[in-house]
Amino acid sequence: MSLLEVNNLKKVYKTRFGGQEVEALRDVNFAVEEGEYVAIMGESGSGKTTLLNILAALDKATAGRVALQGMELSGLAEKKIANFRRDNLGFVFQEFNLLDTFSIEDNIFLPLVLSGKKYSQMSEKLKPIAARLGISEILKKYPYEVSGGQKQRAAVARALITDPKIILADEPTGALDSKASDELLRLFGEVNELGQTILMVTHSAKAASCAGRVLFIKDGEVFHQIYRGDSTNQSFYQKITETLTLLTQGGNQ
Amino acid sequence: MKTLFYPKLAWDGIRKNRRLVFPYMLTCICMISMFYILLFLGSPSTGELLPRGGTTAMQVMILGSFVIAVFSVIFLYYTNSFLIRRRAGEFGLYNVLGMGKRNLAKIITFETLITSGISIVVGILVGIVISKLAELGLVKMLGGQISYDIRIEWKSVYITVLFYLVIFAVIWFSSIIRVGVSSAVSLLKSEKAGEKAPKANWLLGLGGAVILAIAYYKAVSIVSPLDAIMVFFVAVIMVIIATYLLMIAGSVLLCRILQKNKKYYYNPKHFVSVSSLVYRMKRNGAGLASIAIIATMVLVMISTASCMWFGSQDMIDDRYPADINFVFRFDKSELMTEENMAYLRQAFEDYRAENDSTTTTVIDLPYMEMSGSEEDNNTINFDKSDIDAFNVSSMREVCFIPMQTYNEATNQNIALDDGEALVFSSKGAKEYDTINLTVDGKSRTYKCVNPGTEEIFSDYYLGNIIPMISVVVSDYSDTMKFFEASANDRWYNMFTWKYSFDLNDSSMTAAEYAKGLKEAVSNALEEKSELSENCWYYYEEREYEALEYVALNGSVFFIGIVLSIVFILAAVLIIYYKQISEGYEDAGRFEVMKKVGMSKKEIKRSINSQLLVVFFIPLVFAGLHLAFAFPMISKILNLFGLFNTGLFMMTTVICFIAFAIFYAVVYKVTSNVYYNIVTDAK
C-alpha cells in the first residue's frame, strides 16, 4: 500500500450564477510511496493548486478517491478534517502564510498548541528543527522583521514540527530569490533524506529537478512522469525541461 | 457624454463602497435633521407655544444645537478621513492607470457633491417632518398649548444648510489635500500599513492606570457639592486621558504580560485570541476608547437628565414646601420679637378672613443665619477676615433656632440645660459632640445633645450648597445679641422669619391670593414704623415657580434624549467601521489558520471570544466610569436641589441596562457584517 493514493480524481467548478462548468481536474491517478520526494509540474491553470487543495482536504473532490495510509479523505467528517490536517500534513506555501500576529516561534508552535501540547514539550521539539533550518537566532522575532528566505524556513519548521506523514508544498520557492531558493531546496533534500515524504507543486524546473520523481499535469490529467533514477540534478533538469517543451508544444501524447 | 464621465465615476465609487458610504450619509442626515430640529425648537415661534419657562427651554435647545454643531465637525471629519484612508487603494489604482491628481480631485469633488447634497436635502426633509413631533413632545412635557399646524422655520433651514455646507467644504478640502500629497504607491499600500508588532509601553500603560485611579479617588472622596463641580471637570479630563492610554497602551501591556505566562498563553483557547488581541487593540484602541467615552457621556447625560425630570416634583416640593412661602428679614435682632411676628401673623390671618379662605400653616420658623469657617477642635469661626473665599470647602452655614419653635414644630417637649444645644449637620457637615462658635476671640460652646431624628430645617433653601449646621438653643435672644454685638459687618446676620402655608379652600387661585396678600403684608409693615424701615420680605408661590423647574428639567431631559441619539449613532458608526476594517484585515489571517489546521469551529470560537472582549471593554469601562462618577454627580444634583439619591440610582441603572441591551443588538448586527466579510473573502 502506498502512503498516498489518488484514483480517478475529478473536480468541477461551477460559476456562482449560471451553469457554466469548469473542469479543473478530469481524471488524476498517482501514488506516492513513503519517503518519496515528488514534484508536480504544470502550467498555470493546469489544476495543480486544485489538486493540492484536495490533497490538503481544504477542498472536496467532485469524484474519485484520495487516501492517506489507506484512510480516505472524503470519508472524514467535517469536524475531524482540521485534526487530520494538523496531525498528518505539513504545509509550505508560496506566500509563507505566517501570521503577523505571532513571533516566528509562536508561528511554528501554532499546530502543536492547537493539539494541546505543553510549552516545554514544544520547545524541546523545536530545538533540533530550528538548528537544522538555521533559524534558532530569529525565533523571537516577528515575520515582518526577517527575510523571505527566513520566513520560508520558519514555515518549513512549522510543517515539520508535527512530524507529518507528508509535507505538501505549494510553489515553495515562488516568492524567494535564487539564493534563498537554493537554500530551501537543499533543506528539502536533507529532510527527505531523513525519511520525510514531500509532495511539491511547482512550475520551476530547477525546483523540480531536486525531487526524485516529477509528475506533469496537463488539462486536468497526469500527462507524464519521469524518475530521477541515478541521474544528477543537472541531467534530471535537462530531462524535465525537455518534457516541459514537449508538453507546451506537443498536442496529444 | 464626456462631460458625464466624472459624475458617473463618482456615482460608481459611491455605489461600490456603499458598505462604507451609506452609513456615513445616514449619520450626516441624522445630525443635520437633529440640528435643524433643535434650531426649530429654539425659535421664538416655538417659544410662544410654551408656558412660563419657555425662554429657558429655548435657550437649552439652542445650547443643544451648539453641542451638535461642534460634535458634527469633529465626528464627520474623523469619519471622512477614515473613509478616504480605506479607499486610498482605489484612488491609487486610478492614479496608476493614468489619472492625474487633478482627475482624482474631480472624482472626489463630485462624490462630495453627491453625498453632501443628498445628506442635506434628506436631512432637512426628515428634520421638517420630525420637528413637528418633537415640538408636540416638548409642548406636552412642559404643558403648553398644543398646535397641529405644520411649520417650517426658514431661518433655521438657512442656518442648517449653510453650516453643513461649510463642514462638507472643509471635509472636501481635507480629502483633496490628503489624496494630493500622497504618491500612487503609498496610496496603494496605505491599507497595508502598520503591520508591526506593537510593543508594550509600560510608561503609558501604567500612567493610564495611575491617572484613572487618581481620577476615581478624586471622584469618590468628594464631600461637598461645591467641590464636586470643580473636581468634575478635572476628573472628566483625567478619565478621558486615562481611557485612551489604557485602551491603547494598557491593553497591549496586559496581553504581553499574559503572553509571558507560558502556561496560560500556550493553551489552544488563549493562544490565537491573545496574540490577535494585541493587534486588534493596537489598531482599535483609540476607537474603543472613543466608544467608551461616548457611552459614558451618554449614560451620564441621560441618567442625570431623566433623574432631574422625574425628580422635578421632589425638587419643587423641597424648594417650596407650601403653596405660598413668605420670608421676612429683620435688620436688627431686637426687631425679631415674638410680638412683631404675632403682628405679622395677624396680617395673614386678617387677609385670610377677609377673603373667606382656609389655610394650613406648614412652616412658622424664626432663625438666625450666619456663615463661618470650619476650623480644628470643633470650632466654627465667624470672623470675616478668617473666611477664605477661595477655600469654599471649609465654609459652613450655621442657623440658630429657638428651642420653643423646635418643640412646637415637632410636638415635643425637650428641655435643654445651660450650655447644651441640639445640633443637626447636613449637606456634608460633620457631626459634633461639642461645638465652639467663635467671633472676635469670644466664643460660645455648646454640648451637643442627641437630637433624635427630627430635623425641622431640612427643607430650607436647598439651592444653598454650603454644608449646614442647625443649632437649636434655649437662650435664643441672648445668642442673637451675642453674635450681633460682636459681629458687625460680617457675612451673615440674617434674622429671618419664615412663614409658609397651604391654601386649602379659596375662590382665588394661589397666585391671585398671594398677590393680594403681598399688598396686605406691605400695608401692615408700613403701618408699623419700626418695621417699615428695617424689615423686608419676599414670597414665592409654588405653582408659578414650579413652571420654571418643569421647563428647565423638561427641556434638559428632552435635549438629553436628542443628544443621546446623536452620540449613540456616532458610537454605532465607529463600531460599524471598526468591524468592517477588521473584517478585511482578518480575512487573510483566518485563511492561513484554516490551512495550518484550525477547524472552522475553532476559528469561529476564536473570533467570537475576541469580538466579545472587544465588545465588553468599552461597556465595562463605561460602567466603571459611571459607577465612580455616581457619587460626584449625585452631589452635583444636590446643587440643583435634588437629594433623592435612590431615584438617581434607579435612573442610572435603568439607563445602563437599556444602553447595554441596545449596544448588544448593535454589536450583533455589525458582527454579522464582519462574519460576512471574513467568510466571503477567499
Side-chain angles (χ1 to χ4, degrees), chain B residues 199-219:
Chain B
K199 291 243 157 25
N201 191 330
W202 285 86
L203 200 68
L204 291 182
L206 288 180
V210 169
I211 293 175
L212 191 67
I214 295 174
Y216 278 176
Y217 175 75
K218 266 180 176 294

Side-chain angles (χ1 to χ4, degrees), chain B residues 77-142:
Chain B
Y77 187 86
Y78 160 85
T79 317
N80 188 67
S81 68
F82 168 83
L83 286 182
I84 289 290
R85 212 170 39 242
R86 277 234 68 90
R87 299 188 51 198
E90 193 183 329
F91 292 130
L93 189 63
Y94 283 144
N95 203 344
V96 169
L97 291 178
M99 274 198 186
K101 291 285 159 60
R102 185 173 289 270
N103 308 75
L104 287 183
K106 267 191 192 168
I107 298 181
I108 292 177
T109 308
F110 277 111
E111 282 194 16
T112 313
L113 279 178
I114 295 171
T115 51
S116 52
I118 294 178
S119 302
I120 290 179
V121 170
V122 177
I124 293 283
L125 287 179
V126 170
I128 288 171
V129 173
I130 300 182
S131 63
K132 191 64 220 173
L133 289 175
E135 184 197 272
L136 285 176
L138 185 68
V139 169
K140 205 161 166 57
M141 270 172 84
L142 306 192

Side-chain angles (χ1 to χ4, degrees), chain A residues 16 53 58 78-79 82-83 85-86 91 93 96-103 105-107 109-111 113-119 122 140 142 144-145 158, chain B residues 195-199 256 259 262-263 265-269 271-273 275-276 279 283 588-602 680 682:
Chain A
R16 200 192 271 190
N53 280 343
L58 288 168
E78 176 68 34
K79 279 187 209 160
N83 274 332
R85 212 178 284 146
R86 211 153 58 204
F91 292 93
F93 305 92
F96 322 130
N97 279 350
L98 296 177
L99 294 165
D100 50 15
T101 52
F102 285 118
S103 66
E105 183 180 43
D106 290 347
N107 261 296
F109 284 161
L110 181 60
V113 173
L114 293 175
S115 309
K117 294 279 186 307
K118 285 209 182 75
Y119 178 75
M122 296 192 290
K140 295 293 175 197
Y142 279 80
Y144 73 93
E145 294 174 305
R158 180 178 62 189
Chain B
E195 293 297 336
K196 278 190 183 171
K199 291 243 157 25
R256 289 289 180 230
Q259 283 181 326
K262 299 261 187 292
K263 206 165 177 187
Y265 178 50
Y266 290 104
N267 175 321
K269 278 193 196 120
F271 190 57
V272 175
S273 310
S275 61
S276 312
Y279 276 77
R283 271 190 220 115
R589 202 165 293 144
F590 286 115
E591 197 57 27
V592 176
M593 291 186 189
K594 212 165 100 189
K595 284 180 179 166
V596 181
M598 264 178 110
S599 66
K600 269 192 188 144
K601 212 169 139 198
E602 282 169 319
D680 255 13
K682 270 220 163 163

Side-chain angles (χ1 to χ4, degrees), chain B residues 403-436:
Chain B
M403 190 65 238
Q404 189 193 351
T405 307
Y406 182 86
N407 276 340
E408 278 166 15
T410 58
N411 266 331
Q412 293 184 84
N413 203 3
I414 300 173
L416 292 172
D417 289 338
D418 280 352
E420 280 185 347
L422 302 184
V423 177
F424 304 92
S425 302
S426 58
K427 295 187 220 164
K430 70 170 194 173
E431 302 287 334
Y432 294 90
D433 303 332
T434 58
I435 189 165
N436 289 311

